[in-house]
Amino acid sequence: MAVTLISGAIKSGKSEFAEKLALKYKNITYVALSKSIPDDKHWQNKISIHKIRRPKSWKVVENDDLFYVLKIVSGPLLIDSLGGFVLKNIKN
């Protein structure tokens, strides 16, 4: 099992880079680790851009609890927004 961690500054293109790397895998699950913030138009726009960019064949799990997600999915994962998940769990 290989693990690739892509890190960088906010808005540095990490997600797009990871998505390009992930194209070589079949049956990938895209894990979006963020809560929906319907009142934040900027956040909603960012999510829309991510959704448009993803291949339709990818399974998508939108949940902010990575531990739960790891219990219910298997196979190759692209986990987006790991930083927010880490910060949330450091606070708790």
XYZ file of all heavy atoms in Angstrom:
732
model
N 0.844 -1.172 0.000
C 0.000 0.000 0.000
C 0.892 1.239 0.000
O 1.782 1.371 0.817
C -0.889 -0.005 1.239
C -1.668 1.280 1.380
S -2.828 1.323 2.764
C -1.751 1.375 4.162
N 0.639 2.120 -0.918
C 1.392 3.369 -1.004
C 0.556 4.511 -0.454
O -0.661 4.549 -0.623
C 1.764 3.661 -2.448
N 1.212 5.428 0.209
C 0.559 6.628 0.714
C 1.328 7.820 0.187
O 2.551 7.886 0.302
C 0.547 6.659 2.265
C -0.038 7.967 2.762
C -0.209 5.475 2.828
N 0.613 8.754 -0.399
C 1.217 9.985 -0.880
C 0.565 11.140 -0.154
O -0.661 11.277 -0.184
C 1.011 10.145 -2.406
O 1.561 9.017 -3.068
C 1.674 11.409 -2.913
N 1.357 11.956 0.510
C 0.852 13.132 1.207
C 1.265 14.356 0.422
O 2.449 14.544 0.132
C 1.405 13.208 2.634
C 1.026 14.461 3.426
C -0.488 14.497 3.677
C 1.786 14.506 4.733
N 0.295 15.178 0.084
C 0.562 16.411 -0.644
C 0.209 17.552 0.297
O -0.932 17.655 0.753
C -0.269 16.487 -1.935
C 0.088 15.295 -2.822
C -0.055 17.812 -2.649
C -0.880 15.040 -3.938
N 1.187 18.373 0.603
C 0.915 19.495 1.495
C 1.356 20.790 0.829
O 2.150 20.792 -0.109
C 1.623 19.311 2.844
O 3.007 19.450 2.690
N 0.825 21.860 1.332
C 1.169 23.167 0.797
C 0.231 24.213 1.346
O -0.669 23.925 2.133
N 0.438 25.400 0.914
C -0.348 26.533 1.394
C -1.786 26.471 0.885
O -2.100 25.759 -0.070
C 0.294 27.836 0.923
N -2.657 27.225 1.532
C -4.040 27.351 1.087
C -4.054 27.874 -0.336
O -3.282 28.767 -0.693
C -4.812 28.311 2.020
C -4.919 27.705 3.411
C -6.203 28.636 1.466
C -5.463 28.677 4.452
N -4.921 27.305 -1.163
C -5.089 27.703 -2.565
C -3.820 27.514 -3.389
O -3.559 28.256 -4.313
C -5.548 29.154 -2.670
C -6.931 29.407 -2.142
C -7.264 30.881 -2.285
C -8.725 31.071 -2.514
N -9.052 32.470 -2.736
N -3.016 26.503 -3.041
C -1.768 26.276 -3.770
C -1.912 25.244 -4.883
O -0.954 24.962 -5.585
C -0.669 25.840 -2.799
O -0.990 24.607 -2.203
N -3.111 24.648 -5.028
C -3.324 23.660 -6.075
C -3.146 22.223 -5.627
O -3.044 21.322 -6.455
N -3.115 21.993 -4.324
C -2.925 20.637 -3.791
C -3.995 19.672 -4.288
O -3.687 18.576 -4.727
C -2.948 20.647 -2.253
C -1.862 21.443 -1.595
C -1.985 21.409 -0.084
C -3.261 22.001 0.451
N -3.481 23.412 0.264
N -5.248 20.089 -4.199
C -6.345 19.199 -4.589
C -6.265 18.850 -6.062
O -6.401 17.681 -6.442
C -7.696 19.859 -4.295
O -7.861 20.045 -2.916
N -6.040 19.830 -6.893
C -5.972 19.580 -8.333
C -4.800 18.661 -8.667
O -4.927 17.746 -9.479
C -5.850 20.897 -9.093
C -6.027 20.748 -10.570
C -6.163 22.076 -11.289
O -6.058 23.136 -10.662
O -6.372 22.019 -12.509
N -3.661 18.865 -8.019
C -2.497 18.012 -8.229
C -2.810 16.577 -7.806
O -2.519 15.615 -8.528
C -1.296 18.561 -7.458
C -0.049 17.746 -7.609
C 0.668 17.767 -8.798
C 0.408 16.955 -6.573
C 1.822 17.002 -8.947
C 1.559 16.193 -6.711
C 2.262 16.220 -7.898
N -3.429 16.418 -6.634
C -3.776 15.082 -6.134
C -4.777 14.394 -7.061
O -4.679 13.195 -7.320
C -4.349 15.195 -4.726
N -5.731 15.173 -7.570
C -6.725 14.601 -8.483
C -6.056 14.082 -9.756
O -6.426 13.017 -10.262
C -7.786 15.650 -8.812
C -8.683 15.958 -7.622
C -9.433 17.262 -7.759
O -9.366 17.916 -8.826
O -10.096 17.642 -6.777
N -5.075 14.791 -10.246
C -4.363 14.329 -11.450
C -3.609 13.035 -11.165
O -3.600 12.122 -11.981
C -3.423 15.416 -11.960
C -4.164 16.559 -12.622
C -3.226 17.638 -13.097
C -4.033 18.782 -13.706
N -3.218 19.930 -14.058
N -2.973 12.947 -10.003
C -2.273 11.710 -9.632
C -3.254 10.545 -9.484
O -2.953 9.408 -9.847
C -1.520 11.891 -8.316
C -0.303 12.791 -8.306
C 0.268 12.880 -6.893
C 0.754 12.301 -9.275
N -4.433 10.831 -8.959
C -5.412 9.786 -8.670
C -6.093 9.237 -9.916
O -6.721 8.175 -9.858
C -6.465 10.324 -7.706
N -5.975 9.914 -11.030
C -6.631 9.453 -12.256
C -6.176 8.058 -12.693
O -6.892 7.362 -13.402
C -6.407 10.453 -13.395
C -7.163 11.770 -13.272
C -6.703 12.743 -14.354
C -8.663 11.547 -13.332
N -4.998 7.641 -12.236
C -4.496 6.329 -12.651
C -5.152 5.171 -11.894
O -4.984 4.027 -12.266
C -2.977 6.272 -12.495
C -2.477 6.333 -11.073
C -0.953 6.287 -11.025
C -0.442 6.422 -9.614
N 1.007 6.413 -9.559
N -5.903 5.469 -10.854
C -6.534 4.423 -10.049
C -7.971 4.186 -10.486
O -8.689 5.108 -10.843
C -6.518 4.788 -8.562
C -5.133 4.873 -8.001
C -4.501 6.104 -7.858
C -4.444 3.726 -7.625
C -3.214 6.184 -7.352
C -3.164 3.800 -7.117
C -2.549 5.029 -6.982
O -1.294 5.105 -6.486
N -8.376 2.924 -10.421
C -9.771 2.580 -10.674
C -10.480 2.485 -9.329
O -9.865 2.193 -8.316
C -9.861 1.250 -11.413
C -9.297 1.335 -12.804
C -9.501 0.052 -13.553
C -8.880 0.241 -14.932
N -9.357 -0.682 -15.896
N -11.763 2.709 -9.354
C -12.583 2.576 -8.147
C -12.105 3.442 -6.992
O -12.085 3.016 -5.849
C -12.662 1.112 -7.704
C -13.202 0.217 -8.785
O -14.154 0.589 -9.476
N -12.600 -0.927 -8.971
N -11.702 4.655 -7.289
C -11.228 5.549 -6.234
C -12.403 6.186 -5.504
O -13.463 6.401 -6.082
C -10.292 6.631 -6.804
C -9.556 7.341 -5.669
C -11.056 7.630 -7.652
C -8.276 7.990 -6.106
N -12.209 6.432 -4.235
C -13.195 7.158 -3.446
C -12.590 8.500 -3.065
O -11.516 8.558 -2.468
C -13.590 6.390 -2.172
O -14.137 5.123 -2.551
C -14.616 7.162 -1.363
N -13.278 9.560 -3.434
C -12.874 10.926 -3.097
C -13.546 11.269 -1.775
O -14.771 11.272 -1.677
C -13.326 11.876 -4.201
C -12.844 13.295 -4.053
C -11.782 13.759 -4.813
C -13.446 14.179 -3.176
C -11.341 15.063 -4.702
C -13.013 15.477 -3.061
C -11.964 15.920 -3.823
O -11.524 17.212 -3.699
N -12.755 11.522 -0.748
C -13.284 11.832 0.571
C -13.140 13.337 0.797
O -12.025 13.859 0.893
C -12.534 11.051 1.673
C -13.116 11.378 3.040
C -12.575 9.551 1.397
N -14.269 14.016 0.849
C -14.291 15.457 1.098
C -14.550 15.661 2.584
O -15.660 15.447 3.067
C -15.371 16.118 0.258
N -13.506 16.046 3.300
C -13.592 16.158 4.764
C -13.988 17.568 5.199
O -13.235 18.255 5.875
C -12.228 15.838 5.392
C -11.810 14.399 5.430
C -10.417 14.271 6.027
C -12.793 13.574 6.234
N -15.144 17.981 4.800
C -15.578 19.301 5.249
C -17.069 19.297 5.486
O -17.812 18.527 4.897
C -15.235 20.366 4.211
O -15.978 20.164 3.040
N -17.459 20.170 6.380
C -18.881 20.349 6.613
C -19.424 21.290 5.554
O -18.714 22.152 5.042
C -19.120 20.967 7.991
C -18.884 20.000 9.114
C -19.372 20.572 10.414
C -19.255 19.510 11.491
N -19.875 19.906 12.721
N -20.676 21.126 5.258
C -21.332 22.040 4.340
C -21.560 23.366 5.068
O -21.973 23.387 6.224
C -22.671 21.458 3.895
O -23.320 22.362 3.054
N -21.248 24.445 4.400
C -21.479 25.773 4.963
C -22.345 26.520 3.950
O -21.851 27.318 3.156
C -20.153 26.523 5.229
C -19.167 25.636 5.990
C -20.417 27.813 6.000
C -17.774 26.210 6.095
N -23.652 26.247 3.950
C -24.520 26.773 2.894
C -24.572 28.294 2.816
O -24.821 28.847 1.754
C -25.899 26.199 3.231
C -25.773 25.457 4.491
C -24.346 25.413 4.899
N -24.318 28.984 3.912
C -24.385 30.443 3.910
C -23.101 31.107 3.420
O -23.068 32.319 3.219
C -24.700 30.962 5.320
C -26.066 30.510 5.804
O -26.925 30.200 4.953
O -26.277 30.449 7.027
N -22.052 30.332 3.230
C -20.763 30.874 2.791
C -20.635 30.693 1.275
O -20.283 29.628 0.790
C -19.636 30.162 3.535
C -18.264 30.741 3.259
O -18.065 31.377 2.192
O -17.367 30.554 4.096
N -20.922 31.747 0.535
C -20.906 31.667 -0.933
C -19.512 31.342 -1.469
O -19.377 30.604 -2.435
C -21.424 32.968 -1.538
C -22.900 33.186 -1.284
C -23.383 34.443 -1.958
C -24.731 34.850 -1.483
N -25.848 34.257 -2.078
N -18.481 31.869 -0.848
C -17.105 31.574 -1.282
C -16.820 30.080 -1.134
O -16.257 29.452 -2.029
C -16.102 32.394 -0.473
C -14.679 32.067 -0.772
N -14.061 32.438 -1.951
C -13.757 31.371 -0.069
C -12.821 31.987 -1.948
N -12.612 31.329 -0.817
N -17.206 29.509 -0.004
C -16.982 28.081 0.249
C -17.784 27.228 -0.738
O -17.281 26.250 -1.280
C -17.350 27.740 1.688
C -17.021 26.331 2.074
C -17.896 25.332 2.336
C -15.720 25.764 2.214
N -17.222 24.169 2.647
C -15.879 24.419 2.574
C -14.435 26.263 2.072
C -14.806 23.559 2.793
C -13.367 25.410 2.296
C -13.560 24.077 2.653
N -19.028 27.600 -0.977
C -19.862 26.867 -1.920
C -19.282 26.914 -3.329
O -19.332 25.922 -4.064
C -21.296 27.400 -1.898
C -22.027 27.137 -0.598
C -22.053 25.664 -0.224
O -22.327 24.798 -1.048
N -21.756 25.367 1.031
N -18.727 28.058 -3.714
C -18.093 28.178 -5.031
C -16.884 27.252 -5.129
O -16.683 26.574 -6.141
C -17.690 29.630 -5.292
C -17.127 29.812 -6.677
O -17.749 29.428 -7.663
N -15.951 30.398 -6.755
N -16.088 27.215 -4.070
C -14.907 26.342 -4.043
C -15.318 24.873 -4.179
O -14.705 24.114 -4.938
C -14.139 26.570 -2.730
C -12.858 25.819 -2.632
C -12.126 26.190 -1.357
C -10.854 25.393 -1.244
N -10.065 25.734 -0.081
N -16.370 24.478 -3.472
C -16.855 23.100 -3.553
C -17.347 22.798 -4.963
O -17.080 21.724 -5.509
C -17.964 22.850 -2.503
C -17.341 22.849 -1.104
C -18.700 21.546 -2.773
C -18.347 22.802 0.028
N -18.046 23.738 -5.566
C -18.545 23.538 -6.936
C -17.406 23.308 -7.916
O -17.497 22.439 -8.788
C -19.359 24.753 -7.381
O -20.535 24.846 -6.636
N -16.336 24.064 -7.784
C -15.172 23.907 -8.666
C -14.582 22.504 -8.505
O -14.257 21.836 -9.484
C -14.117 24.997 -8.377
C -14.652 26.349 -8.835
C -12.781 24.667 -9.039
C -13.842 27.536 -8.352
N -14.470 22.046 -7.270
C -13.947 20.696 -7.019
C -14.846 19.639 -7.646
O -14.364 18.685 -8.249
C -13.820 20.451 -5.512
C -12.611 21.067 -4.901
N -11.672 20.331 -4.252
C -12.195 22.347 -4.835
C -10.711 21.129 -3.802
N -11.018 22.361 -4.149
N -16.160 19.795 -7.495
C -17.100 18.809 -8.037
C -17.026 18.744 -9.558
O -17.069 17.657 -10.133
C -18.524 19.141 -7.591
C -18.772 18.826 -6.133
C -20.196 19.152 -5.740
C -20.456 18.755 -4.299
N -21.831 19.068 -3.875
N -16.930 19.881 -10.197
C -16.858 19.930 -11.663
C -15.597 19.243 -12.175
O -15.610 18.564 -13.195
C -16.919 21.397 -12.147
C -18.320 21.963 -11.905
C -16.532 21.520 -13.615
C -18.413 23.464 -12.051
N -14.511 19.389 -11.434
C -13.212 18.860 -11.854
C -13.109 17.345 -11.709
O -12.350 16.702 -12.430
C -12.144 19.541 -10.984
C -10.864 19.800 -11.650
C -9.905 20.627 -10.837
N -9.854 20.294 -9.433
C -9.695 21.198 -8.467
N -9.579 22.468 -8.757
N -9.650 20.839 -7.214
N -13.856 16.767 -10.786
C -13.758 15.322 -10.515
C -14.427 14.499 -11.600
O -15.504 14.843 -12.070
C -14.449 14.977 -9.193
C -13.746 15.471 -7.983
C -14.315 14.827 -6.740
N -15.687 15.181 -6.459
C -16.061 15.989 -5.475
N -15.172 16.535 -4.688
N -17.337 16.241 -5.276
N -13.815 13.367 -11.958
C -14.482 12.447 -12.886
C -15.782 11.921 -12.274
O -15.862 11.681 -11.068
C -13.469 11.304 -13.052
C -12.152 11.904 -12.680
C -12.461 12.919 -11.620
N -16.778 11.740 -13.090
C -18.087 11.249 -12.628
C -17.997 9.819 -12.102
O -18.831 9.392 -11.310
C -19.109 11.309 -13.769
C -19.303 12.686 -14.336
C -20.105 13.551 -13.421
C -20.398 14.878 -14.102
N -20.273 16.002 -13.226
N -16.982 9.085 -12.527
C -16.846 7.688 -12.113
C -16.357 7.535 -10.671
O -16.448 6.455 -10.096
C -15.885 6.956 -13.047
O -14.597 7.545 -12.990
N -15.828 8.603 -10.083
C -15.323 8.507 -8.720
C -16.474 8.472 -7.729
O -17.439 9.224 -7.836
C -14.435 9.693 -8.384
C -13.094 9.677 -9.043
C -12.625 8.779 -9.953
C -12.060 10.637 -8.866
N -11.365 9.106 -10.338
C -10.985 10.245 -9.686
C -11.929 11.771 -8.106
C -9.793 10.962 -9.751
C -10.749 12.483 -8.163
C -9.691 12.073 -8.976
N -16.351 7.583 -6.761
C -17.295 7.577 -5.646
C -16.903 8.746 -4.740
O -15.715 9.005 -4.526
C -17.191 6.256 -4.886
C -18.120 6.170 -3.702
C -17.964 4.838 -2.985
C -18.811 4.834 -1.732
N -18.544 3.673 -0.900
N -17.878 9.452 -4.217
C -17.604 10.609 -3.356
C -18.263 10.404 -2.007
O -19.431 10.029 -1.920
C -18.130 11.918 -3.993
C -17.897 13.102 -3.064
C -17.468 12.161 -5.341
N -17.486 10.645 -0.947
C -18.010 10.613 0.410
C -17.753 11.986 1.011
O -16.600 12.426 1.098
C -17.326 9.520 1.267
C -17.804 9.588 2.707
C -17.559 8.144 0.681
N -18.817 12.671 1.373
C -18.697 13.986 2.011
C -19.038 13.812 3.479
O -20.196 13.626 3.842
C -19.626 14.987 1.336
C -19.245 15.256 -0.101
C -20.229 16.156 -0.826
O -21.389 16.277 -0.372
O -19.842 16.728 -1.848
N -18.015 13.855 4.315
C -18.192 13.631 5.745
C -16.977 14.210 6.443
O -15.853 14.042 5.971
C -18.319 12.127 6.018
C -18.773 11.817 7.413
O -18.199 12.301 8.379
N -19.791 10.991 7.525
N -17.171 14.862 7.571
C -16.028 15.461 8.261
C -15.405 14.550 9.312
O -14.513 14.955 10.041
C -16.405 16.813 8.864
C -17.403 16.713 10.004
O -18.110 15.686 10.087
O -17.488 17.657 10.809
N -15.840 13.293 9.365
C -15.286 12.335 10.326
C -14.487 11.258 9.585
O -15.043 10.254 9.139
C -16.419 11.705 11.140
C -15.904 10.777 12.239
O -14.705 10.453 12.255
O -16.727 10.375 13.080
N -13.191 11.483 9.455
C -12.337 10.557 8.720
C -12.328 9.166 9.343
O -12.290 8.166 8.633
C -10.914 11.099 8.612
C -9.909 10.234 7.864
C -10.375 9.969 6.431
C -8.534 10.866 7.876
N -12.383 9.086 10.658
C -12.380 7.776 11.310
C -13.586 6.955 10.868
O -13.473 5.766 10.588
C -12.352 7.922 12.838
C -11.135 8.654 13.340
C -11.259 9.823 14.074
C -9.859 8.183 13.069
C -10.143 10.492 14.527
C -8.735 8.845 13.519
C -8.883 10.008 14.257
N -14.734 7.579 10.781
C -15.939 6.902 10.303
C -15.766 6.470 8.848
O -16.066 5.332 8.486
C -17.151 7.816 10.456
C -18.376 7.296 9.753
C -19.114 6.242 10.288
C -18.788 7.840 8.538
C -20.233 5.742 9.635
C -19.905 7.346 7.883
C -20.625 6.310 8.434
O -21.718 5.819 7.781
N -15.283 7.375 8.024
C -15.120 7.086 6.596
C -14.189 5.895 6.400
O -14.464 5.012 5.584
C -14.593 8.318 5.840
C -14.231 7.977 4.403
C -15.625 9.441 5.874
N -13.103 5.837 7.143
C -12.154 4.729 6.994
C -12.773 3.384 7.368
O -12.316 2.341 6.900
C -10.899 4.992 7.820
C -10.034 6.162 7.332
C -8.882 6.406 8.296
C -9.537 5.936 5.920
N -13.821 3.405 8.177
C -14.510 2.164 8.545
C -15.444 1.682 7.440
O -15.705 0.493 7.332
C -15.322 2.364 9.823
C -14.482 2.537 11.057
C -15.380 2.782 12.258
C -14.560 3.125 13.485
N -15.410 3.452 14.636
N -15.963 2.603 6.625
C -16.999 2.218 5.659
C -16.518 2.105 4.217
O -17.258 1.617 3.369
C -18.202 3.178 5.722
C -17.818 4.593 5.277
C -18.831 3.196 7.103
C -18.989 5.508 5.001
N -15.311 2.570 3.922
C -14.819 2.483 2.546
C -13.523 1.690 2.496
O -12.818 1.561 3.483
C -14.600 3.886 1.905
C -15.887 4.652 1.833
C -13.537 4.670 2.633
N -13.231 1.166 1.316
C -11.973 0.451 1.112
C -11.458 0.797 -0.273
O -12.169 1.371 -1.093
C -12.172 -1.054 1.264
O -13.075 -1.515 0.283
N -10.238 0.428 -0.521
C -9.635 0.714 -1.816
C -8.943 2.067 -1.806
O -8.774 2.694 -0.764
N -8.542 2.519 -2.983
C -7.818 3.789 -3.084
C -8.683 4.976 -2.638
O -9.860 5.053 -2.992
C -7.479 3.907 -4.564
C -7.711 2.583 -5.161
C -8.683 1.870 -4.283
N -8.090 5.855 -1.853
C -8.779 7.047 -1.359
C -8.012 8.297 -1.739
O -6.782 8.321 -1.680
C -8.887 7.034 0.171
C -9.571 5.870 0.849
C -9.433 6.005 2.360
C -11.015 5.803 0.455
N -8.725 9.328 -2.089
C -8.158 10.670 -2.181
C -8.864 11.455 -1.088
O -10.076 11.651 -1.143
C -8.420 11.303 -3.546
C -7.671 12.605 -3.834
C -7.643 12.882 -5.326
C -8.191 13.783 -3.081
N -8.121 11.829 -0.069
C -8.699 12.522 1.081
C -8.363 14.000 0.955
O -7.205 14.388 0.987
C -8.160 11.946 2.405
C -8.452 10.451 2.476
C -8.760 12.694 3.589
C -7.768 9.737 3.620
N -9.408 14.816 0.838
C -9.223 16.250 0.668
C -9.600 16.984 1.950
O -10.554 16.620 2.624
C -10.086 16.752 -0.490
C -9.620 18.106 -1.020
O -8.674 18.673 -0.450
O -10.194 18.574 -1.998
N -8.836 17.989 2.269
C -9.036 18.834 3.455
C -8.641 18.136 4.748
O -9.288 18.271 5.784
C -10.473 19.351 3.540
O -10.756 20.188 2.461
N -7.564 17.411 4.697
C -7.052 16.735 5.886
C -6.653 17.735 6.971
O -6.819 17.473 8.155
C -5.860 15.852 5.507
C -5.337 14.888 6.549
C -6.433 13.942 7.015
C -4.165 14.102 5.999
N -6.177 18.899 6.561
C -5.761 19.920 7.529
C -6.883 20.340 8.456
O -6.704 20.461 9.669
N -8.066 20.552 7.910
C -9.218 20.926 8.732
C -9.605 19.830 9.700
O -9.960 20.082 10.849
N -9.502 18.595 9.244
C -9.806 17.453 10.104
C -8.817 17.388 11.273
O -9.206 17.191 12.418
C -9.753 16.156 9.298
C -9.835 14.921 10.136
C -11.049 14.483 10.624
C -8.696 14.202 10.442
C -11.138 13.349 11.409
C -8.762 13.057 11.223
C -9.986 12.641 11.714
N -7.544 17.583 10.981
C -6.513 17.541 12.026
C -6.753 18.646 13.041
O -6.727 18.419 14.247
C -5.100 17.631 11.406
C -4.040 17.829 12.486
C -4.806 16.394 10.576
N -6.990 19.864 12.561
C -7.231 20.979 13.467
C -8.450 20.745 14.346
O -8.424 21.018 15.549
C -7.399 22.288 12.692
C -6.137 22.834 12.062
C -6.455 24.059 11.204
C -5.099 23.177 13.115
N -9.502 20.221 13.765
C -10.723 19.931 14.535
C -10.432 18.943 15.648
O -10.904 19.088 16.768
C -11.793 19.387 13.594
C -13.038 18.917 14.286
C -13.974 18.248 13.301
C -14.693 17.132 13.992
N -15.465 16.296 13.129
N -9.634 17.918 15.360
C -9.370 16.881 16.344
C -8.313 17.272 17.363
O -8.280 16.704 18.443
C -9.018 15.568 15.634
C -10.271 14.946 15.057
O -11.030 14.335 15.784
N -10.520 15.141 13.780
N -7.466 18.223 17.037
C -6.511 18.738 18.024
C -7.256 19.536 19.085
O -6.933 19.472 20.266
C -5.432 19.604 17.337
C -4.493 18.723 16.545
C -4.660 20.418 18.367
C -3.477 19.476 15.721
N -8.274 20.279 18.668
C -9.057 21.105 19.588
C -9.859 20.260 20.556
O -10.141 20.671 21.654
C -10.005 22.025 18.810
C -9.280 23.082 18.023
C -10.262 23.920 17.220
C -9.546 24.904 16.346
N -10.475 25.672 15.512
N -10.274 19.068 20.129
C -11.121 18.211 20.979
C -10.298 17.390 21.867
O -9.721 16.925 22.432
C -12.007 17.302 20.120
C -13.036 18.121 19.367
O -13.386 19.197 19.783
N -13.490 17.605 18.249
